[in-house]
Amino acid sequence: MNTMERQAALGREWFELNTGTLRRLAELQTEGVQKVFETNRTFAEKLPEVKDITSFMELQREYGEAMWNGFTEGMKANGEVLKEAVESAGELLRGAFATEEPKAPETTKKSAKPAAAKAAA
């Protein structure tokens, strides 16, 4: 494959990688927003049960903990997607700019083995 073909392939593969990464990040954001609404709905349903300040503070603590856990899980998931994207991008770039090394002829490899076998004997 010549340089122009490798560069064109890099452009296509880079576009596909970016598109897939952005699609996955958008899915994760959608899931995160849905979880926030679900958490809000759950704690709003519990709010009428509150009768004193202690139970209100406990409910508020549980709500904050649930929101924080959801946030940290979302950030970890986003981080994993981005990490995979960076690793894939690195592989794409290494492949696009790598020079092809000439292969050693097979006759050289075969002739070296019998010489080593004779020397060992």
Side-chain angles (χ1 to χ4, degrees), residues 106-121:
E106 289 294 321
T107 56
T108 306
K109 290 181 183 177
K110 289 181 182 178
S111 62
K113 287 183 181 178
K118 288 179 185 177

Side-chain angles (χ1 to χ4, degrees), residues 23-103:
R23 183 175 295 123
R24 183 64 185 133
L25 288 172
E27 290 170 357
L28 289 172
Q29 293 299 316
T30 302
E31 291 170 11
V33 169
Q34 289 172 345
K35 287 180 183 178
V36 167
F37 284 138
E38 183 178 320
T39 301
N40 286 341
R41 183 175 39 252
T42 301
F43 282 96
E45 290 170 357
K46 293 180 181 180
L47 198 56
E49 300 169 6
V50 173
K51 300 297 180 201
D52 58 1
I53 191 73
T54 306
S55 59
F56 176 74
M57 294 302 289
E58 180 64 24
L59 183 64
Q60 188 68 20
R61 186 195 61 74
E62 290 174 13
Y63 174 77
E65 186 176 317
M67 293 300 285
W68 179 254
N69 290 338
F71 174 75
T72 55
E73 289 173 10
M75 293 306 291
K76 285 179 185 177
N78 286 347
E80 288 296 318
V81 169
L82 293 174
K83 180 181 174 184
E84 291 172 10
V86 168
E87 290 171 354
S88 297
E91 290 174 13
L92 288 176
L93 289 172
R94 282 188 292 277
F97 292 105
T99 57
E100 296 179 0
E101 297 178 11
K103 294 184 179 181

